[in-house]
Amino acid sequence: MITLGIETTCDETAIAIVKSGKEILSNIIFSQADLHSSFGGVYPELAAREHLIRFPSLLDLCLKEAHLSLNEIELISVAYGPGLVGSIQIGLNAAKTISIALKKPFVAVNHIEAHLYAAWMSHDFTFDPFPALGLIISGGHTALVLMKSVTDIYLIGSTIDDAMGESFDKVAKMMDLPYPGGPKIEQLANQGNPHHIPFKKGTVKDNLYAFSFSGLKTQVLYAIRDQKGLKEDIAASFQQTAFQDLIDKTKKAFSQFDCKAIFVGGGVAQSKTLRTLFEKEELPIFYPPPLLCLDNGVMIAGYGYEQFQNSGQSPLSIEPVPRIPWKVHKKEI
Ligand code: KG4
Ligand code: ZN
């Protein structure tokens, strides 16, 4: 089944064509990062307008790369949230329109769950990896989830304030580094001492697996203001604290929930430093290739195909959902 995947929940206009959930025929990602860099984050109205302007030519490019015509598309999948309403609306309307015009089924998927699908689809398993732990670490979201299958997902813990990528972006802004800040912080941190400042990790009352990064961000702000070290050392210490927090909670959840694998998704999963730190733990951890860590249409097409196999079409009446509530695992945590 040839699936068109459309992703416009944030600042990437991404369109892809995937065959039978795994075979990538084309993958077009147009990043708006340059447009938003001077704002230190995504400017919602500009993002929506840019999706609208870029969409038609990117769709043409996507079809050309796959050597297909629009008529050969058999399923249309789109992310209906979470994200920025105005941005989601552009992709969602485009997907509905194409579905109606082609008389082909339409499926709307959860963007965050699709990030985990990106990790799953990128590996061939010789064992059943479920139940698995899912780790979503992006600019907009940070969550630890229990995956009973690739489409049956339950929240274990999420951030109560900033997302992990967002905290990197905010710290970068404090250091006058452009958006997206994660890679810039990593570069700077490579020259610094990660143990220079013993920053405190964020803890959340009543949930061992929840995250909080705003306190860490404030500690970094004071360290910069009080010149507690070189920028390189502050960046390295911040990065070390945030990643160690993630690793500690992941390890704990992995054993408590008897998981067989860990799937990681989201932009922060691109970090070489994080991957090196995780390697030392010798866990069965699976990442997408770097290009599929970021927002992309491949994961939307693939996950849409999977969801369509399990539960069929979505109603065309579906609207953008800025925050999609999680199913919560009932075991006491
Ligand atoms: O997945 P993504 O496109 O964002 C959302 O879907 O929300 O990822 C972008 C985020 C940005 O916050 C960026 O700073 C972060 O991923 N990021 C990193 C690294 N590379 C990207 N954060 C830390 N270290 C990195 N190497
Ligand atoms: Zn994302």
Side-chain angles (χ1 to χ4, degrees):
M1 195 170 209
I2 296 186
T3 309
L4 181 72
I6 299 173
E7 157 59 40
T8 62
T9 60
C10 192
D11 62 339
E12 267 93 27
T13 319
I15 313 180
I17 299 173
V18 175
K19 193 172 167 186
S20 305
K22 282 205 166 186
E23 192 188 332
I24 304 170
L25 302 185
S26 66
N27 179 21
I28 306 294
I29 304 175
F30 178 79
S31 168
Q32 303 176 0
D34 289 348
L35 183 71
H36 302 288
S37 77
S38 60
F39 299 104
V42 179
Y43 194 119
E45 278 164 31
L46 278 184
R49 196 175 66 180
E50 194 70 1
H51 287 309
L52 190 60
I53 294 169
R54 300 280 173 184
F55 191 88
S57 56
L58 293 175
L59 177 61
D60 275 348
L61 195 62
C62 184
L63 289 164
K64 216 170 262 168
E65 198 178 285
H67 304 290
L68 290 170
S69 72
L70 195 55
N71 287 324
E72 291 171 280
I73 300 295
E74 294 168 297
L75 174 69
I76 297 100
S77 175
V78 62
Y80 72 100
L84 304 167
V85 173
S87 288
I88 301 167
Q89 192 85 62
I90 308 299
L92 195 55
N93 281 352
K96 289 177 186 178
T97 308
I98 296 168
S99 159
I100 293 166
L102 297 180
K103 298 191 177 64
K104 290 287 156 61
F106 157 88
V107 62
V109 303
N110 178 326
H111 169 97
I112 312 258
E113 295 184 354
H115 268 302
L116 297 174
Y117 184 89
W120 180 82
M121 75 177 281
S122 307
H123 299 275
D124 290 321
F125 291 95
T126 51
F127 66 102
D128 177 7
F130 299 105
L133 198 65
L135 208 56
I136 298 126
I137 40 175
S138 74
H141 314 278
T142 300
L144 259 177
V145 297
L146 179 65
M147 304 172 72
K148 293 187 182 171
S149 75
V150 78
T151 51
D152 190 19
I153 301 174
Y154 300 80
L155 182 68
I156 297 174
S158 60
T159 178
I160 60 159
D161 41 59
D162 295 338
M164 182 174 251
E166 186 182 6
S167 74
F168 275 78
D169 296 335
K170 287 182 177 170
V171 166
K173 200 175 174 188
M174 291 174 199
M175 295 183 170
D176 297 319
L177 299 168
Y179 171 85
K184 300 279 182 281
I185 294 283
E186 186 175 22
Q187 269 170 23
L188 203 60
N190 284 341
Q191 321 298 321
N193 171 9
H195 305 290
H196 182 74
I197 305 175
F199 289 127
K200 274 207 200 83
K201 290 174 209 159
T203 51
V204 179
K205 215 175 149 225
D206 300 329
N207 188 346
L208 287 172
Y209 302 114
F211 298 91
S212 168
F213 296 110
S214 71
L216 174 59
K217 184 186 62 191
T218 310
Q219 294 174 65
V220 174
L221 181 70
Y222 292 155
I224 297 170
R225 188 196 63 186
D226 302 340
Q227 299 180 344
K228 289 242 175 89
L230 298 170
K231 265 188 178 176
E232 288 80 354
D233 292 333
I234 297 175
S237 302
F238 157 72
Q239 180 180 254
Q240 171 71 24
T241 309
F243 285 166
Q244 198 56 52
D245 182 25
L246 182 74
I247 290 168
D248 291 347
K249 286 170 182 162
T250 302
K251 269 167 58 183
K252 203 176 279 177
F254 183 76
S255 60
Q256 184 178 345
F257 294 96
D258 296 324
C259 293
K260 301 208 186 87
I262 301 172
F263 294 106
V264 192
V268 186
Q270 281 190 312
S271 166
K272 287 199 184 69
T273 311
L274 179 64
R275 292 185 184 214
T276 307
L277 287 171
F278 258 128
E279 248 164 50
K280 293 187 188 139
E281 306 295 337
E282 297 185 347
L283 293 162
I285 190 158
F286 300 92
Y287 302 91
L291 200 61
L292 298 188
C293 287
L294 294 169
D295 289 352
N296 64 85
V298 168
M299 66 183 192
I300 305 299
Y303 195 53
Y305 169 79
E306 193 71 27
Q307 193 176 300
F308 182 69
Q309 303 300 311
N310 293 333
S311 30
Q313 293 195 55
S314 304
L316 281 171
S317 57
I318 200 160
E319 294 286 345
V321 181
R323 283 167 179 270
I324 304 177
W326 289 98
K327 291 187 282 186
V328 179
H329 190 255
K330 50 186 183 311
K331 191 167 165 183
E332 204 54 42
I333 51 176

